[in-house]
């Protein structure tokens, strides 16, 4: 009978806690997987499985189909520098969303726009510029649409699915109104929601940016705590002191703690 194994993997591509939960849910249903637990903060998958039924290659393929990737823990680069993946996306989104808000909402707030951009005097110019300002924000948020619609088609919708549906609806409806403007219905300039799609994407990106800052700090703190754990233990065996790895410790071993050393495991003081 094959003995169950435990293994850790680094998970890349997760954007939210729901991503971690989807991995747990799908792997938990697979035969041969006894337990699958994903820690979103540390980006780790803790897997207990039966190698006679399922192999790690199959597990990686399953996770890959969900839109994420697994790396062996041993291959993880130590002391990696944290880089927020949403920084560039946030900067570009804000740069284009702010003037879009002024263009779309300014007249409602009493702001006087130049005549060539005024929605009443030149609705076509106003609509064209709104469209051009919205497109870069949507392009920068392409991962929301890729992940959202992909998971929706697999009947495992997540938060990205909600974002993708909401912003797509606002954008497509606005494009329809834009076509009416080009056809002569200038009143449709007041029915566009380009700024809604861009603002939602910008605000969600801001939230993701701040979340990643928090997650990065938490992850670094956890790694520092894990670094305090000793990797070896000094035990007494046959009257001699022997140094072994902590993974080789077993119940009944007598551990010798010298001044200044760290306890590698729980135990009873003799």
């Amino acid at each position: 009978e094959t003995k169950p194994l435990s293994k850790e993997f680094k998970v890349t591509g997760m954007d939210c806690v729901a991503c971690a939960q989807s991995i747990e849910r799908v792997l938990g249903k697979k035969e041969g997987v006894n337990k699958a637990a994903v820690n979103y903060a540390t980006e780790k998958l803790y897997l207990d499985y039966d190698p006679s039924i399922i192999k790690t290659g199959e597990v990686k393929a399953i996770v890959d189909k969900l839109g994420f990737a697994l790396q062996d823990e041993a291959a993880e680069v130590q002391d990696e520098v944290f880089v927020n993946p949403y920084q560039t996306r946030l900067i570009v989104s804000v740069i284009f969303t702010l003037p879009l808000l002024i263009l779309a909402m300014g007249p409602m707030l009493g702001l006087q726009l130049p005549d060539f951009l005024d929605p009443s005097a030149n609705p076509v110019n106003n609509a064209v510029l709104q469209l051009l300002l919205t497109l870069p924000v949507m392009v920068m948020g392409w991962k929301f649409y890729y992940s959202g619609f992909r998971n929706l088609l697999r009947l495992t919708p997540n938060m990205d699915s909600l974002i993708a549906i909401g912003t797509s609806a606002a954008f497509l409806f606005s494009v329809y109104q834009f076509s009416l403007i080009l056809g002569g219905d200038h009143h449709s300039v007041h029915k566009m929601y380009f700024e809604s799609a861009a603002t939602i994407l910008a605000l969600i990106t801001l939230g993701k940016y701040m979340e990643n800052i928090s997650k990065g700090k938490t992850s670094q703190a956890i790694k520092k705590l894990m670094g305090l754990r000793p990797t070896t233990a000094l035990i007494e065996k046959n009257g001699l002191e022997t140094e072994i790895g902590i993974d080789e410790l077993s119940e009944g071993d007598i551990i010798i703690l010298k001044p200044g050393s760290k306890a590698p495991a729980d135990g009873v003081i003799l």
Side-chain angles (χ1 to χ4, degrees), residues 90-167:
L90 175 62
I91 293 173
V92 173
S93 297
V94 170
I95 288 175
F96 285 93
T97 300
L98 287 178
L100 176 60
L101 281 173
I102 295 174
L103 193 65
M105 306 299 293
M108 300 181 188
L109 300 175
L111 182 65
Q112 185 64 41
L113 296 177
D115 287 341
F116 72 97
L117 290 179
D118 188 270
S120 300
N122 287 286
V124 174
N125 291 352
N126 184 281
V128 168
L129 188 54
Q130 285 195 49
L131 174 62
L132 293 178
L133 288 172
T134 304
L135 288 175
V137 182
M138 297 191 72
V139 170
M140 292 303 296
W142 70 270
K143 285 189 176 181
F144 290 131
Y145 299 100
Y146 177 77
S147 171
F149 287 123
R150 186 178 184 183
N151 282 282
L152 188 62
L153 292 174
R154 289 177 175 162
L155 302 180
T156 56
N158 56 10
M159 187 178 73
D160 289 346
S161 302
L162 181 62
I163 297 168
I165 293 173
T167 55

Side-chain angles (χ1 to χ4, degrees), residues 3-255:
K3 183 180 179 182
L5 296 178
S6 297
K7 197 166 185 180
E8 294 182 16
F9 297 92
K10 179 178 176 61
V11 187
T12 58
M14 294 191 297
D15 289 325
C16 59
V17 176
C19 297
Q21 293 173 342
S22 66
I23 296 173
E24 291 179 349
R25 183 173 60 254
V26 174
L27 289 180
K29 295 178 180 178
K30 295 298 178 181
E31 185 180 2
V33 176
N34 301 323
K35 183 181 179 182
V38 180
N39 188 314
Y40 175 63
T42 58
E43 297 183 328
K44 297 288 179 62
L45 164 64
Y46 302 94
L47 184 71
D48 290 342
Y49 67 103
D50 187 339
S52 65
I53 300 177
I54 189 169
K55 305 296 184 185
T56 55
E58 297 175 64
V59 174
K60 290 181 179 180
I62 292 169
V63 174
D64 183 64
K65 286 183 179 180
L66 293 174
F68 313 105
L70 292 185
Q71 299 175 1
D72 289 332
E73 185 65 16
E76 184 179 350
V77 179
Q78 300 297 321
D79 299 326
E80 58 185 62
V81 178
F82 173 72
V83 178
N84 197 316
Y86 291 93
Q87 181 171 326
T88 301
R89 195 187 308 184
L90 175 62
I91 293 173
V92 173
S93 297
V94 170
I95 288 175
F96 285 93
T97 300
L98 287 178
L100 176 60
L101 281 173
I102 295 174
L103 193 65
M105 306 299 293
M108 300 181 188
L109 300 175
L111 182 65
Q112 185 64 41
L113 296 177
D115 287 341
F116 72 97
L117 290 179
D118 188 270
S120 300
N122 287 286
V124 174
N125 291 352
N126 184 281
V128 168
L129 188 54
Q130 285 195 49
L131 174 62
L132 293 178
L133 288 172
T134 304
L135 288 175
V137 182
M138 297 191 72
V139 170
M140 292 303 296
W142 70 270
K143 285 189 176 181
F144 290 131
Y145 299 100
Y146 177 77
S147 171
F149 287 123
R150 186 178 184 183
N151 282 282
L152 188 62
L153 292 174
R154 289 177 175 162
L155 302 180
T156 56
N158 56 10
M159 187 178 73
D160 289 346
S161 302
L162 181 62
I163 297 168
I165 293 173
T167 55
S168 294
F171 179 78
L172 293 176
F173 181 79
S174 300
V175 169
Y176 170 69
Q177 296 299 324
F178 177 61
S179 68
L180 295 180
I181 295 171
L182 295 178
D185 182 6
H186 293 174
H187 185 68
S188 292
V189 72
H190 301 294
K191 299 179 183 179
M192 296 190 303
Y193 295 96
F194 285 123
E195 81 285 353
S196 297
T199 302
I200 290 172
L201 289 171
L203 290 176
I204 293 294
T205 302
L206 174 61
K208 294 282 188 181
Y209 175 79
M210 297 175 67
E211 180 185 25
N212 269 263
I213 291 177
S214 178
K215 189 178 75 170
K217 291 179 179 178
T218 302
S219 179
Q220 292 299 320
I222 291 174
K223 287 180 180 179
K224 288 179 180 179
L225 284 174
M226 293 175 65
L228 296 176
R229 184 188 183 193
T231 57
T232 60
L234 188 63
I235 67 170
E236 182 183 298
K237 190 173 184 179
N238 300 325
L240 299 175
E241 295 182 1
T242 306
E243 188 173 28
I244 62 172
I246 58 172
D247 293 334
E248 299 176 26
L249 281 173
S250 59
E251 187 175 354
D253 284 340
I254 299 177
I255 302 172

